[in-house]
Amino acid sequence: MKSVMKLGVVLAALTVTLPALAQEESRYLFTDVAVWDGTADALQPSMNVLVEGNKVTQISDSIVAGNATVIEGNGRTLMPGLIDMHTHVMFPQGIPAHETEWVAATSGALAHQTFSQYLKMGFTTLRDMCGPANLAKAISAGILSGPRLYSSGGCIGTTGAHTDWGPQTDNLGDVSNHTRARNSWVVNSPDEVRAAARQNFRDGATFLKVMVGGGVASAFDPLESITISPAELRAAVEVAEQFDSYVCIHVYHTAHINMALDQGVTCIEHGFLMDEKTMRRMVREDIVLSAQAYMSYTAFQDPAGIPGFGPEQVAKGLMVNKGADQMFAWAKEHGVEMFAGSDMFTYDAVPNATLNITQLERWFTPVEALRASTSTAGKYLMQTGPKNPYKEAQLGTLVEGSYADVILVDGNPLESTEVLADYENNIDMVMVNGVVEVDNR
Ligand SMILES: [Zn+2]
């Protein structure tokens, strides 16, 4: 009798779970949309786009709706969701406040606000450049809603470098709140770099970020200082290669970039103070540039207003601002491979993330600025090896078979990306992984 009852309990459990397993995939049909595929120079007008489950399955001028939910485009643009390749979600109140005021749990809760804001703006994928990769895992597991998150894990640097966010009173070996939160590691030998790098991949990182030169926002590192040895940097590259991925470096100056390229680094963040010869070397060696046009060119025109910036940070910001115009001119002239990352490091700044795309139009065409924020970004997200949680389809493109990460835009961003900046009026729907996350129609 007892065992029969047990069986009854098991059967009852099965009847609850089986219908969920057999649930049909959701189907959406976008009708009469002008499709931008993430790469082409022009829109394809009057198309229909079918989404089944989490993929785009058909793009054609004649698809029958069947049982799909119809979303009338009325001539609006359907394009891949935007990708921000350099942002910070774990210290939205500024780096100093998250050292002294907020513990990791609070920072994580606040990150969710950032995710919601990004979704409203049409960003469907983010790269978090200093933060616990564990957060990305919660999203890829479907537990936490938000844009897809690719995480560097804690960014890696040495004592006094751009990851050393502890107070001035810290002694050698003291562990900062940022390190407790796994936002950043302070390490001082090739072995310690290896340990931090492996910890990141253990947590779910898909690539690494290493600080090679001084930073604008940090306290102890002049921009001119190289803050890591070649052997330490090489150790990070070796670990990344073991995970079939790569190292992106925080860097500004020519000598620093060249040292890093000699050690096998393939991804340059910032780089605003490089010379032309170095830009040519990057092109020759297929090195990708991660571009922060808004932060370097617009925000650092007047850095005094940035929260947490003292006189030293202001001086460093102005230096970067001076270099950025020339660096982007060379990037255009020599045709370096480039993706866009806004480098928003406070919550209040996040609404400016789209301006990183519009600001690129100072040097590039609108379609070039858009590729940097969609298909080129997606290409480098795909090259992150077995730890990549989203490797079954392409990101940053809108073609048959790509992930259903799309935005419905009132206007033509290929004429001017400004249309994306007014997201409240012009971004009418945001879909991530086949799920409608924002609907303003
Ligand atoms: Zn950054």
Side-chain angles (χ1 to χ4, degrees):
M1 189 63 190
K2 220 173 169 189
S3 64
V4 171
M5 272 183 68
K6 258 191 189 163
L7 185 64
V9 171
V10 172
L11 284 174
L14 279 176
T15 53
V16 173
T17 52
L18 278 177
L21 285 174
Q23 210 173 42
E24 282 210 354
E25 283 187 330
S26 60
R27 299 175 88 240
Y28 290 95
L29 182 66
F30 292 90
T31 59
D32 186 21
V33 285
V35 169
W36 185 58
D37 64 4
T39 56
D41 288 323
L43 302 177
Q44 291 172 268
S46 308
M47 301 300 283
N48 295 341
V49 174
L50 184 64
V51 169
E52 292 177 293
N54 68 344
K55 308 268 170 44
V56 174
T57 54
Q58 265 191 76
I59 302 176
S60 148
D61 55 6
S62 58
I63 305 172
V64 178
N67 61 352
T69 303
V70 173
I71 298 167
E72 288 174 17
N74 299 322
R76 282 175 288 193
T77 302
L78 193 70
M79 60 176 280
L82 302 170
I83 301 174
D84 190 337
M85 290 293 273
H86 187 136
T87 193
H88 300 285
V89 303
M90 278 295 283
F91 27 89
Q93 298 300 306
I95 289 174
H98 287 266
E99 179 60 32
T100 56
E101 224 173 309
W102 308 111
V103 299
T106 314
S107 304
L110 293 173
H112 199 253
Q113 278 187 306
T114 301
F115 296 150
S116 304
Q117 178 61 34
Y118 263 115
L119 283 175
K120 277 189 243 170
M121 296 162 65
F123 285 86
T124 54
T125 302
L126 308 177
R127 247 184 13 154
D128 187 23
M129 296 304 283
C130 294
N134 200 245
L135 187 62
K137 187 178 164 184
I139 294 176
S140 64
I143 299 164
L144 186 65
S145 68
R148 296 177 200 271
L149 195 62
Y150 279 79
S151 176
S152 66
C155 43
I156 298 170
T158 57
T159 298
H162 195 44
T163 60
D164 189 347
W165 296 331
Q168 183 77 62
T169 48
D170 261 7
N171 212 332
L172 200 59
D174 284 353
V175 173
S176 71
N177 194 44
H178 280 286
T179 291
R180 281 193 294 273
R182 305 191 189 196
N183 293 343
S184 63
W185 308 114
V186 177
V187 289
N188 285 292
S189 69
D191 280 348
E192 287 187 10
V193 169
R194 267 183 216 105
R198 287 174 178 147
Q199 178 70 42
N200 284 340
F201 282 116
R202 181 182 187 273
D203 287 348
T206 39
F207 63 100
L208 299 175
K209 181 185 180 191
V210 179
M211 308 306 198
V212 168
V216 173
S218 41
F220 314 119
D221 46 342
L223 288 185
E224 302 81 356
S225 57
I226 291 193
T227 56
I228 197 163
S229 70
E232 287 166 324
L233 186 54
R234 181 65 206 157
V237 170
E238 280 170 7
V239 174
E241 286 174 351
Q242 285 158 2
F243 284 88
D244 200 13
S245 185
Y246 47 85
V247 171
C248 293
I249 58 164
H250 165 96
V251 72
Y252 291 104
H253 277 285
T254 293
H256 308 191
I257 296 170
N258 282 284
M259 183 277 269
L261 298 188
D262 292 344
Q263 300 311 315
V265 165
T266 56
C267 167
I268 303 297
E269 305 290 325
H270 319 309
F272 301 116
L273 302 174
M274 76 172 79
D275 64 9
E276 188 174 12
K277 200 173 155 202
T278 303
M279 183 65 79
R280 286 181 200 272
R281 180 180 177 187
M282 285 176 60
V283 174
R284 232 176 21 249
E285 298 181 10
D286 290 328
I287 308 299
V288 68
L289 176 69
S290 171
Q292 293 73 42
Y294 171 76
M295 196 51 101
S296 65
Y297 192 75
T298 314
F300 287 171
Q301 261 172 21
D302 182 19
I306 297 176
F309 271 34
E312 259 181 62
Q313 285 74 35
V314 168
K316 293 198 277 189
L318 290 172
M319 217 186 286
V320 164
N321 176 255
K322 246 171 106 182
D325 200 21
Q326 177 63 73
M327 193 279 290
F328 279 117
W330 286 329
K332 167 76 176 185
E333 185 184 339
H334 299 297
V336 75
E337 182 103 301
M338 183 182 79
F339 52 67
S342 67
D343 206 3
M344 296 299 133
F345 51 83
T346 63
Y347 176 71
D348 288 345
V350 171
N352 297 328
T354 314
L355 302 182
N356 189 52
I357 306 172
T358 58
Q359 182 60 70
L360 280 172
E361 284 191 47
R362 179 176 167 84
W363 307 278
F364 300 90
T365 64
V367 74
E368 287 169 336
L370 288 168
R371 283 185 197 124
S373 309
T374 54
S375 54
T376 307
K379 176 181 154 188
Y380 284 87
L381 294 174
M382 277 301 270
Q383 292 177 10
T384 50
K387 285 287 184 176
N388 176 9
Y390 309 114
K391 48 183 167 301
E392 62 180 52
Q394 190 66 40
L395 289 168
T397 60
L398 171 45
V399 295
E400 290 178 1
S402 59
Y403 278 120
D405 290 14
V406 294
I407 59 177
L408 188 63
V409 181
D410 195 0
N412 182 357
L414 299 191
E415 283 171 5
S416 167
T417 59
E418 286 286 344
V419 71
L420 300 171
D422 187 6
Y423 60 91
E424 279 168 337
N425 285 312
N426 297 333
I427 298 190
D428 292 344
M429 178 182 259
V430 179
M431 177 179 273
V432 185
N433 208 35
V435 176
V436 176
E437 293 283 358
V438 177
D439 192 353
N440 293 326
R441 287 173 299 154

